[in-house]
Amino acid sequence: MAQTAIEFNSVGYTYHSGTSLASSGIRDVTFTIPSGSFTAIIGQTGSGKSTLVNLIAGLSKPTTGEVTVLGQSLTKQSNKAQQAGIQQSVGYVFQFPEHQLFANTVWDDVAFGPRNLGWSTAKINQQVQTALEQVNFPTNRYQQSPLELSGGQQRLAAIAGVLVMQPQILILDEPTAGLDSGASQRLLLLLNQLHQAGVTIIMITHHLEYVAEHADRVMLMGDGQLQFAGHPQELFRNAELMKHNHVLPPAAVQLGQQLLPPGTNLPLSLNELAKKLATQLKAGEQDE
Amino acid sequence: MNVIEAHDVSFTYPGANGTALRNLDLIVKAGELLAVIGQNGSGKSTLVQLLSGLQLPSTGLINIGNTEVNDRNLASIHQQVGIVFQNPGSQFVGSTVAEDVAFGLENRQVPSDEMPAIIKRCLQVVDMWEYRHTSPATLSGGQQQRVAIASVLALQPKILILDEATSMLDPLARQQIMNLLVNLRQQGLTIIMVTHHLSEAEQADRALALNNGEVLAEGPVHAVLSQQKLVQQLELHLAPGEHLLNQLQQLGISTPDRYLTTEEAVQWLKQRLNLTQ
Ligand SMILES: Nc1ncnc2c1ncn2[C@@H]1O[C@H](COP(=O)(O)OP(=O)(O)OP(=O)(O)O)[C@@H](O)[C@H]1O
Ligand SMILES: Nc1ncnc2c1ncn2[C@@H]1O[C@H](COP(=O)(O)OP(=O)(O)OP(=O)(O)O)[C@@H](O)[C@H]1O
Ligand SMILES: [Mg+2]
Ligand SMILES: [Mg+2]
């Protein structure tokens, strides 16, 4: 049986806990994520997705309950060293890439983490090069300031800075936002490769097509609570639950409802829908 | 009436070795919705910063209405053009959401007794009124983007520019903002929208396609999007209808040559499937 990479036990997180500004981020969240799985986290704006992954990455401590990441536990009572232990074993690409770019050049930014690990210069250079190539970062901009990049280029640089550390757990918060479709497809391909190689991947996204195609598990957040954890197919067939949490069904389902006879088992991908429609259209031509 | 005229505009960032934008000509008419499309790094944000006076052309000329964009006219340009940045965090100034919206109004010397109504209306259209007392820095990504839109709407610009302003929103919220834009255009607002998504671009009147700092195509949105090779080069995220038709074509079904929006694609398929009775 697969080992558990991440476990949440009745976890709650309240921002500004104990003050008049206290506001609940997530409440009573319990789940496990198996080692080596590809988990997508979906949910409406403000539903608690980023709050949840901040806890997985050890950036915040739970207000209630217990978080366990690769065997390291974190509770309200934990100290900074325990938090740092988790932070070091998790790679985290933030929702806003500019929040994690700070060096004078793209190259130095990506090299920052490896330099702290005390690797040899040759190894650092090689790993930085590999990471920038993995995300297809434009080669003529390695020495440019991260502040002088386009939005999409900033995101690629931020992703490279996380990949270079070769984390066992990789969290990405809406990594394709602002990327063109070529860059998005290349990133998803790369995530698939890392997944094949055994990395545990957690990706927040609003694109259910990506979820259907790439994730083996999905968690649905709604109003600060975990509404569903399981197989994407199962969630996407539960129209009620999705609607209740203000999540639109995948495009294939929306179009299938309009185009296929009532009662048809609706395909979850547009490619599958196209196959069904093509069969019908060809049959129609023969009748005429 | 032309609200924007750009003639042979080029722009190089200080100290940069390449030109970010080259020999751009553009005319935007009042009340048009223009989509600006192109790959990462193609010059979209650079262009909209020039159109809003945040950068000045290295060579060439830009007119907004009757005002030339130069360092003497910036106040007038900022008065006419409102821009929502690609990164919403960089535009917050208030310590609460309501103050953030109020800030721009104060700068415009809007009478203070008129402000509460404007603030309320703008926060309500983006569904953020209940967060009016919250600090913008503590909002989720999508909530920040909505407030950024409200703050610019409140200034009632003649030209509204959105630089990937909905990139973090869920599809439902994205649709709501798109509907809002379509409404505002009907009321006469000129809108420029930078996007990587065909599902958004297809709702524009015209499209401007950039590639490596140069204009690749410009024209009525359907004419631009009907050039299949070109659309591929732009690396746009396909709209569901277009994606479906492409797949059908690969499966040997002949599909229309011109670009169909998702709505049009569904209608076309319904007819082919005899579902229209
Ligand atoms: N630093 C903070 N201080 C106080 N409240 C916060 C803070 N960050 C987030 N919140 C609130 O917690 C709730 C959950 O926010 P979170 O950022 O987790 O949402 P999300 O699901 O990631 O949304 P999005 O898709 O818009 O990024 C929201 O209501 C948000 O306003
Ligand atoms: N401040 C700057 N200094 C120097 N070069 C810059 C600066 N800002 C952007 N560039 C460069 O100019 C080119 C155009 O950038 P721009 O931000 O206009 O692209 P974009 O089309 O908006 O891309 P994206 O879709 O990634 O946001 C890019 O190659 C970028 O690296
Ligand atoms: Mg978030
Ligand atoms: Mg940009």
Side-chain angles (χ1 to χ4, degrees), chain B residues 3-19:
Chain B
V3 287
I4 298 178
E5 290 178 2
H7 297 293
D8 204 19
V9 170
S10 295
F11 179 75
T12 306
Y13 284 98
N17 35 23
T19 330

Side-chain angles (χ1 to χ4, degrees), chain A residues 141 148 150-153, chain B residues 13 40-46 86 196:
Chain A
R141 300 195 183 276
E148 297 175 348
S150 82
Q153 291 164 349
Chain B
Y13 284 98
N40 288 132
S42 56
K44 304 182 296 298
S45 296
T46 305
Q86 191 162 1
H196 288 292

Side-chain angles (χ1 to χ4, degrees), chain A residues 74-142:
Chain A
L74 205 62
T75 65
K76 192 178 180 182
Q77 280 76 35
S78 302
N79 58 33
K80 283 258 178 291
Q82 288 167 305
Q83 237 177 309
I86 292 185
Q87 286 167 16
Q88 275 155 22
S89 46
V90 177
Y92 183 6
V93 181
F94 295 156
Q95 186 163 11
F96 293 103
E98 60 275 11
H99 292 172
Q100 66 195 116
L101 297 168
F102 47 85
N104 285 328
T105 66
V106 170
W107 183 276
D108 284 345
D109 209 282
V110 178
F112 180 83
R115 281 178 187 151
N116 282 344
L117 293 182
W119 291 350
S120 73
T121 311
K123 181 170 177 191
I124 291 172
N125 286 343
Q126 193 211 334
Q127 296 296 326
V128 171
Q129 178 87 26
T130 307
L132 285 166
E133 281 171 5
Q134 272 181 318
V135 300
N136 222 34
F137 188 86
T139 47
N140 58 343
R141 300 195 183 276
Y142 287 180

Side-chain angles (χ1 to χ4, degrees), chain B:
Chain B
M1 199 186 63
N2 298 345
V3 287
I4 298 178
E5 290 178 2
H7 297 293
D8 204 19
V9 170
S10 295
F11 179 75
T12 306
Y13 284 98
N17 35 23
T19 330
L21 215 55
R22 266 185 305 283
N23 307 113
L24 175 126
D25 287 306
L26 176 67
I27 288 182
V28 183
K29 293 209 159 60
E32 263 178 0
L33 175 52
L34 173 77
V36 178
I37 50 186
Q39 292 183 6
N40 288 132
S42 56
K44 304 182 296 298
S45 296
T46 305
L47 170 64
V48 294
Q49 290 187 27
L50 286 161
L51 296 180
S52 44
L54 295 172
Q55 301 279 4
L56 296 175
S58 307
T59 59
L61 184 74
I62 300 177
N63 282 321
I64 303 293
N66 297 320
T67 318
E68 184 189 329
V69 180
N70 60 35
D71 48 10
R72 294 179 309 279
N73 292 335
L74 290 182
S76 157
I77 300 298
H78 296 324
Q79 181 98 35
Q80 297 180 65
V81 186
I83 177 167
V84 185
F85 295 128
Q86 191 162 1
N87 159 18
S90 63
Q91 87 185 67
F92 293 131
V93 281
S95 63
T96 67
V97 164
E99 275 177 32
D100 198 79
V101 182
F103 184 82
L105 297 175
E106 280 161 16
N107 272 353
R108 293 286 156 84
Q109 279 140 27
V110 172
S112 50
D113 58 332
E114 288 175 22
M115 290 197 336
I118 300 177
I119 295 170
K120 184 166 183 183
R121 184 166 42 83
C122 292
L123 284 174
Q124 277 176 339
V125 292
V126 298
D127 234 350
M128 286 300 291
W129 175 238
E130 62 174 302
Y131 290 89
R132 60 192 174 278
H133 301 305
T134 308
S135 156
T138 68
L139 295 173
S140 81
Q143 290 166 344
Q144 288 186 18
Q145 284 195 320
R146 295 202 229 185
V147 173
I149 294 171
S151 294
V152 173
L153 280 180
L155 303 175
Q156 294 183 284
K158 284 203 196 102
I159 302 168
L160 173 66
I161 301 181
L162 301 118
D163 191 354
E164 299 190 42
T166 59
S167 62
M168 305 268 165
L169 294 185
D170 58 76
L172 212 53
R174 230 174 226 262
Q175 271 184 14
Q176 282 164 358
I177 299 288
M178 204 57 229
N179 293 344
L180 171 68
L181 296 183
V182 169
N183 271 334
L184 289 169
R185 172 187 46 179
Q186 267 158 14
Q187 295 163 30
L189 187 68
T190 306
I191 303 174
I192 299 179
M193 166 181 77
V194 177
T195 179
H196 288 292
H197 292 266
L198 265 175
S199 54
E200 289 171 347
E202 70 183 21
Q203 301 188 50
D205 302 305
R206 297 178 75 83
L208 172 71
L210 292 175
N211 181 40
N212 198 14
E214 289 179 3
V215 176
L216 203 60
E218 199 273 330
V221 74
H222 273 72
V224 172
L225 298 182
S226 292
Q227 305 175 45
Q228 281 199 5
K229 282 259 158 52
L230 177 123
V231 171
Q232 267 170 24
Q233 199 179 344
L234 298 174
E235 310 249 32
L236 290 159
H237 293 266
L238 293 183
E242 173 79 352
H243 186 153
L244 190 59
L245 292 179
N246 284 353
Q247 287 296 319
L248 283 170
Q249 201 175 22
Q250 282 181 22
L251 293 168
I253 307 287
S254 61
T255 56
D257 289 333
R258 65 180 195 95
Y259 182 83
L260 299 188
T261 64
T262 296
E263 212 170 296
E264 291 166 344
V266 167
Q267 285 314 318
W268 183 84
L269 280 163
K270 277 186 173 170
Q271 249 162 31
R272 290 291 311 273
L273 293 160
N274 298 321
L275 294 176
T276 43
Q277 297 83 351

Side-chain angles (χ1 to χ4, degrees), chain A residues 6-288:
Chain A
I6 297 154
E7 185 167 350
F8 270 47
N9 217 322
S10 307
V11 172
Y13 184 77
T14 305
Y15 287 100
H16 312 291
S17 177
T19 74
S20 61
L21 292 173
S23 76
S24 164
I26 62 170
R27 281 172 292 141
D28 195 24
V29 173
T30 298
F31 64 86
T32 58
I33 292 182
S35 186
S37 60
F38 191 142
T39 302
I41 303 180
I42 66 170
Q44 195 190 16
T45 292
S47 58
K49 304 181 297 296
S50 297
T51 306
L52 178 78
V53 295
N54 281 340
L55 287 158
I56 299 179
L59 293 187
S60 41
K61 291 187 295 185
T63 321
T64 57
E66 182 180 20
V67 172
T68 310
V69 178
L70 297 175
Q72 309 166 76
S73 139
L74 205 62
T75 65
K76 192 178 180 182
Q77 280 76 35
S78 302
N79 58 33
K80 283 258 178 291
Q82 288 167 305
Q83 237 177 309
I86 292 185
Q87 286 167 16
Q88 275 155 22
S89 46
V90 177
Y92 183 6
V93 181
F94 295 156
Q95 186 163 11
F96 293 103
E98 60 275 11
H99 292 172
Q100 66 195 116
L101 297 168
F102 47 85
N104 285 328
T105 66
V106 170
W107 183 276
D108 284 345
D109 209 282
V110 178
F112 180 83
R115 281 178 187 151
N116 282 344
L117 293 182
W119 291 350
S120 73
T121 311
K123 181 170 177 191
I124 291 172
N125 286 343
Q126 193 211 334
Q127 296 296 326
V128 171
Q129 178 87 26
T130 307
L132 285 166
E133 281 171 5
Q134 272 181 318
V135 300
N136 222 34
F137 188 86
T139 47
N140 58 343
R141 300 195 183 276
Y142 287 180
Q143 295 306 324
Q144 200 157 318
S145 157
L147 301 175
E148 297 175 348
L149 297 173
S150 82
Q153 291 164 349
Q154 282 188 345
R155 187 171 294 282
L156 295 179
I159 295 172
V162 171
L163 287 178
V164 75
M165 302 298 284
Q166 302 177 342
Q168 282 179 64
I169 297 179
L170 178 59
I171 302 172
L172 308 103
D173 194 346
E174 297 194 42
T176 61
L179 292 185
D180 60 39
S181 80
S184 302
Q185 294 304 333
R186 283 190 294 273
L187 175 64
L188 288 163
L189 211 66
L190 177 61
L191 295 182
N192 274 348
Q193 285 166 6
L194 294 169
H195 178 216
Q196 297 300 324
V199 178
T200 306
I201 297 188
I202 297 164
M203 177 172 77
I204 296 180
T205 183
H206 291 303
H207 296 274
L208 300 193
E209 288 63 37
Y210 298 159
V211 180
E213 202 170 333
H214 301 281
D216 46 32
R217 296 167 39 82
V218 62
M219 306 201 327
L220 169 66
M221 292 300 291
D223 197 21
Q225 287 184 295
L226 182 61
Q227 307 286 343
F228 176 93
H231 199 272
Q233 305 266 344
E234 191 190 331
L235 174 62
F236 295 161
R237 300 211 180 285
N238 191 339
E240 269 309 300
L241 184 62
M242 303 257 295
K243 192 167 171 205
H244 183 73
N245 288 288
H246 310 281
V247 174
L248 289 176
V253 172
Q254 293 179 49
L255 296 185
Q257 276 163 350
Q258 300 178 65
L259 296 170
L260 294 172
T264 315
N265 208 357
L266 295 173
L268 295 177
S269 80
L270 289 166
N271 296 0
E272 285 301 314
L273 177 60
K275 278 185 204 151
K276 279 209 166 162
L277 291 174
T279 317
Q280 280 190 35
L281 288 167
K282 284 178 181 159
E285 273 166 20
Q286 276 159 13
D287 293 347
E288 279 159 23

